[in-house]
Amino acid sequence: MKRWIAFWNIVLKDMRAYYLKPPNISWGLIFPLAWTGMFFIKSGGEVENVLSLLPGVVAISILFGTTSMLAVTVTFEKKNRSFERLLLAPISLELLMLAKTAGAIFFGMVNAFVPVVMALFLTDLSQVAWDTVVPAIILIAFTSTFQGLFIAVSVNEVFEAQTFSNFFRFPMIFLCGLFFPISQLPVFLRPLSYVLPLTYGADILHGGFVGGGSRMPMPLDFGMLFIFCSALFLISLRNIRKRWIA
């Protein structure tokens, strides 16, 4: 019981302390919102165009929302040594890091529905396969958050975490099939797309929003996201034990 009380107190503390920090506002909210507005205006409000853009802007909103959060909640606390006090909490390191990442996961999922709400004013979303889209959003939020955690525990400063995050985030916009198929990429870049987790999440979203099925088998997409999610979390835990505790 004490473990879950500690878990929720860490989550609530992070939500109160960090949700409106400048990096979250600029990179987690304004940037995805600007991209969404830009693409929707470019679409001219046509139904097919809006639906074809939604998977990309939803994926971007999750990616930037989650990774921006982790740069602050983990790197900042490590820098000012408050993270060391958290290690004294009566919970395991695994549960502690789940608590530290829960806020970012929630933030990313909420961010995902910002472009969806905007699209409601432009088109009919009754044909969207929500039973596919919602689980995909949740799994993408987990995977992107743990990717942010992996980056956050690899650096010492908040600005380093933001810079390192952008090193991955911006190429993923173009390499993961968000706005055009991977088959349109140069041949030598295509293998790189398949080692990025967002490729599989975007593929599920395309199938759910646009219809006609995803480009890859759905079980493969979900399975790869689960593998990336587990691997990134376990590697991050190993790095924390090695760099911050040992």
Side-chain angles (χ1 to χ4, degrees):
M1 187 64 180
K2 288 182 179 178
R3 291 182 303 168
W4 292 109
I5 292 174
F7 177 91
W8 284 115
N9 277 297
I10 292 170
V11 173
L12 293 175
K13 186 268 293 178
D14 282 353
M15 292 174 73
R16 285 196 296 265
Y18 298 121
Y19 262 44
L20 296 180
K21 287 288 182 181
N24 293 333
I25 295 173
S26 60
W27 287 106
L29 288 174
I30 296 177
F31 183 77
L33 202 61
W35 270 72
T36 303
M38 179 184 72
F39 278 114
F40 281 1
I41 291 172
K42 186 176 182 298
S43 74
E46 296 180 12
V47 175
E48 291 184 358
N49 288 341
V50 172
L51 285 177
S52 66
L53 290 171
L54 261 181
V57 292
V58 166
I60 285 178
S61 298
I62 301 171
L63 178 66
F64 278 81
T66 53
T67 50
S68 299
M69 200 61 188
L70 263 296
V72 178
T73 59
V74 175
T75 313
F76 180 73
E77 292 196 352
K78 173 63 173 61
K79 175 69 177 177
N80 66 15
R81 305 181 73 89
S82 58
F83 186 84
E84 294 175 6
R85 291 197 293 273
L86 287 176
L87 292 174
L88 299 176
I91 57 177
S92 64
L93 180 63
E94 289 81 2
L95 193 58
L96 170 62
M97 294 317 298
L98 283 176
K100 293 298 295 177
T101 52
I105 293 167
F106 177 74
F107 191 70
M109 289 191 288
V110 171
N111 247 18
F113 286 96
V114 172
V116 174
V117 171
M118 293 173 69
L120 279 172
F121 293 99
L122 299 172
T123 186
D124 177 18
L125 299 181
S126 60
Q127 302 300 318
V128 174
W130 294 110
D131 58 338
T132 299
V133 168
V134 172
I137 286 174
I138 295 171
L139 206 45
I140 295 170
F142 270 87
T143 308
S144 298
T145 299
F146 293 153
Q147 180 182 321
L149 178 64
F150 170 77
I151 292 170
V153 300
S154 303
V155 299
N156 297 316
E157 303 283 350
V158 173
F159 75 88
E160 289 178 325
Q162 291 289 353
T163 305
F164 198 20
S165 293
N166 288 336
F167 181 79
F168 286 97
R169 292 187 297 196
F170 282 103
M172 289 170 79
I173 294 174
F174 304 101
L175 293 173
C176 293
L178 303 186
F179 300 107
F180 51 84
I182 293 171
S183 58
Q184 292 183 10
L185 288 172
V187 174
F188 67 94
L189 285 178
R190 292 177 199 170
L192 193 57
S193 299
Y194 294 103
V195 298
L196 297 172
L198 197 60
T199 296
Y200 303 95
D203 193 51
I204 301 172
L205 293 178
H206 276 290
F209 278 113
V210 183
S214 55
R215 301 179 182 109
M216 290 181 279
M218 199 73 77
L220 173 65
D221 287 330
F222 277 106
M224 289 302 294
L225 278 178
F226 182 77
I227 290 171
F228 274 113
C229 183
S230 304
L232 286 167
F233 186 63
L234 293 175
I235 293 172
S236 299
L237 289 180
R238 188 201 63 179
N239 288 344
I240 290 171
R241 288 191 175 97
K242 184 177 179 181
R243 291 167 55 91
W244 295 0
I245 298 178

